[in-house]
Amino acid sequence: MKDLEQYIQHYFDARAEDLSAIASAFSYKAIHKSDYLLKEGRICTQLSFIKQGLVRIYSTQNDKEVTQWISISGYFVTELSSFIFNTPARWNIQALTDCELYTIDKDQYEKLGLQIPEWHKLEKLFIAKCFIILEERVNSFLFMTAEERYNQLLSINPELFNQVPLQYLASMLGMTPETLSRLRKKAIG
Amino acid sequence: MKDLEQYIQHYFDARAEDLSAIASAFSYKAIHKSDYLLKEGRICTQLSFIKQGLVRIYSTQNDKEVTQWISISGYFVTELSSFIFNTPARWNIQALTDCELYTIDKDQYEKLGLQIPEWHKLEKLFIAKCFIILEERVNSFLFMTAEERYNQLLSINPELFNQVPLQYLASMLGMTPETLSRLRKKAIG
DNA sequence: GCGCAGAATTGATAAATATCAAGAATTTCA
DNA sequence: TGAAATTCTTGATATTTATCAATTCTGCGC
């Protein structure tokens, strides 16, 4: 679980002495392609670190299926609002490939608050970092065109374009698969 | 400061005994129309509750001025990422009208962590609520058209359309003033 | 009240993006 | 491996939204 500890340090800014306590509250879990980590309507009770693999967060409203986000290895995945507030999840989380995860359940997660004096502070910073990611996303819709969003994703995460069905990326970028296809053609020439 | 205490209770879910401690760390401040609460590039050191008035959060990139958000009375305003992580602000916050605020400075805010045992937990929940608002915003771009975003804002916050220059609302909704004007015409008939 | 400046609307047109339909490419899995 | 299913691309067209330019409207200082 070396990689997990490193990532916890990176994301939670935890002190060395707390690292192993936090990391050992996670347990290893392997899941298969197409398995669900979360289904719409349920309460999200898990936070998972993706050791290996890809997962997709998506939902359908009025016949429109939207991919909200693709999480890749080295990152956490959960539905934060459901996990924090115990509200019904609005998204499905499904494995796009076989995955290896380190997962923590909500009750274990809450116990960390009793064990680790700084826990709520760390948790606060974790959530604040998630906030910043979303803020960046809102900005991308306010400042950028579909084409610019495509170019940005391609430059930051080029590997996604080999590993993820393009229709999902299109949806995540707020455009149709046809538009994404044409932007790719245009960029490649 | 009755309204402030109520709002703190609502937003921070604070226990009654902590309410007054939190509320009294805020101080009253009146500002004039067009005054800045924050300028791009500075560190945001204040969190303000709007007792009365309206403020606009905006920024300019490549000649494009974007209004990110309008905050109204009864809500908090700050640049959360700058306030939490002491990073340079990416936005300006400017009063659209004369305003009455209750403001807390970062150092006072941090002292609350020493006084109130639950503080980091409350803070965590506050940030998580901000996260949910942003998530809602991302969804509005993924699921909805410009017209649907306009209709939604009109139904949730009709008073904004009297009080805020429409060009700012257009920008916040991710459209041009001309498009907003035409959507209004279409809706009214 | 008058005139000015900023804001909003309107019209004409262009550009971006979506939709629909068909065909090509790729993946899946029996 | 080969057939079926899914995904991707392409073309034709429609819709949405942006752009640019010209008025009109509105609020504000004098």
Side-chain angles (χ1 to χ4, degrees), chain B residues 70-131:
Chain B
I70 308 281
S71 274
I72 63 178
S73 64
Y75 291 85
F76 285 109
V77 64
T78 189
E79 181 174 325
L80 197 62
S81 55
S82 175
F83 186 73
I84 298 290
F85 293 108
N86 302 309
T87 48
R90 305 176 58 177
W91 302 95
N92 303 288
I93 305 181
Q94 187 181 27
L96 284 176
T97 63
D98 291 351
C99 290
E100 296 181 82
L101 309 170
Y102 295 119
T103 295
I104 186 171
D105 275 309
K106 184 74 189 280
D107 53 353
Q108 282 290 316
Y109 181 87
E110 282 176 342
K111 276 184 195 151
L112 288 173
L114 307 173
Q115 292 173 243
I116 298 170
E118 277 207 307
W119 177 245
H120 287 301
K121 191 170 169 186
L122 300 180
E123 206 190 346
K124 172 195 87 175
L125 294 173
F126 174 68
I127 295 172
K129 287 186 181 181
C130 296
F131 175 91

Side-chain angles (χ1 to χ4, degrees), chain B residues 8-26:
Chain B
I8 288 171
Q9 182 161 42
H10 172 65
Y11 231 79
F12 283 82
D13 298 314
R15 293 177 308 179
E17 63 243 58
D18 294 329
L19 264 185
S20 62
I22 299 173
S24 63
F26 284 77

Side-chain angles (χ1 to χ4, degrees), chain B residues 165-167 178 181-182 184-185:
Chain B
L166 295 172
Q167 54 180 320
E178 292 93 334
S181 174
R182 291 188 176 104
R184 270 159 56 84
K185 189 178 179 185

